[in-house]
Amino acid sequence: MYTFLASKWTKAALFLLGLGPLAAIIRPFVRGYTIPNPLEFIQHATGDWTLRFLVFTLTITPLRQLVHLPELIRFRRMLGLFAFFYACLHFTTYLVFDKFFDVHEIWKDVYKRPFITVGFLAFTLLIPLAITSTAGWIRRLGGRRWRILHRAIYISACCGVIHYYWLVKSAVIRPLFYAALVGVLLVWRVGEWLLRRRRTALANAVPQRTPVNASQ
Ligand code: HEM
């Protein structure tokens, strides 16, 4: 299993899989199929895939602990960048085909429509995460600061779910399903953090043994 996960081919295969949704979005246009509302089709598909990739990214840490496969970490960055990639497509669709580059209209929307406000926040939060996702940035920021910054992905995922929930009128099942997934993934992390704190407290409480001849 380690050889499989460590192989560069596995990473390449995952990269191609990540491009699958993009191919599925482009295909009907290339084939000349009739799409009743192309803008809605692209907006919904890119929005769905942004949220899915955010969930995939958040799943890596609990999964590697559950199945004892630390090598899974190799795929986390790529999944996160795919989330950002589909978010960019999602936002670009809105910017180009919905608002025709009218920045004033966009600000009005961000200000007046709560579901756009949280969507915008979710997207904005992903920008620094994508920029600082490289090894160079981890070094520059230092592991601790980098980890704190990258906790913004939890806020982004929550905003993404709220964005989805607020935009659907009655079909709330799917946003609620994503809410449950993100909720479980967050609760896992809080539980893990509490456990770690308890372990550290216990370790500190155990009296340190001094070697017999240490003071001699
Ligand atoms: C991380 C960021 C974001 C996520 C996860 C996200 C997710 C989603 C999802 C899941 C949908 C619904 C898809 C469906 O119905 O199947 C959606 C729709 C939509 N999103 Fe986003 N979104 C994000 C950012 C944004 C931003 C920045 C904007 C614009 C400023 C935006 C504008 C829209 C619009 C206009 C729709 C379609 C609404 C409608 O059909 O009435 N989203 N988004």
Side-chain angles (χ1 to χ4, degrees), residues 99-119:
K99 297 295 163 198
F100 309 106
F101 294 101
D102 189 337
V103 179
H104 179 69
E105 267 298 305
I106 294 173
W107 279 124
K108 229 168 74 185
D109 239 8
V110 171
Y111 186 69
K112 284 206 173 144
R113 299 169 81 190
F115 95 89
I116 293 286
T117 317
V118 278

Side-chain angles (χ1 to χ4, degrees), residues 59-136:
T59 308
I60 291 287
T61 300
L63 190 65
R64 63 198 281 259
Q65 288 163 354
L66 274 176
V67 297
H68 304 290
L69 282 173
E71 298 80 25
L72 282 172
I73 198 74
R74 295 184 68 239
F75 309 114
R76 193 174 62 179
R77 176 171 180 253
M78 193 197 288
L79 293 172
L81 285 176
F82 267 122
F84 182 63
F85 171 64
Y86 284 105
C88 286
L89 291 182
H90 187 59
F91 179 65
T92 309
T93 315
Y94 168 82
L95 174 79
V96 181
F97 303 110
D98 205 349
K99 297 295 163 198
F100 309 106
F101 294 101
D102 189 337
V103 179
H104 179 69
E105 267 298 305
I106 294 173
W107 279 124
K108 229 168 74 185
D109 239 8
V110 171
Y111 186 69
K112 284 206 173 144
R113 299 169 81 190
F115 95 89
I116 293 286
T117 317
V118 278
F120 199 75
L121 179 63
F123 176 58
T124 317
L125 283 171
L126 290 180
I127 298 171
L129 304 195
I131 294 172
T132 60
S133 69
T134 60

Side-chain angles (χ1 to χ4, degrees), residues 40 43-45 47-48 50-51 54 87 90-91 94 98 106 110 113 115-116 119-123 126 156 160-161 163-164 167-169 174:
E40 199 180 276
Q43 229 159 28
H44 286 199
D48 280 340
T50 305
L51 203 48
L54 280 175
H90 187 59
F91 179 65
Y94 168 82
D98 205 349
I106 294 173
V110 171
R113 299 169 81 190
F115 95 89
I116 293 286
F120 199 75
L121 179 63
F123 176 58
L126 290 180
S156 178
V161 169
H163 167 73
Y164 193 7
L167 75 88
V168 293
K169 306 287 179 300
R174 282 177 65 188

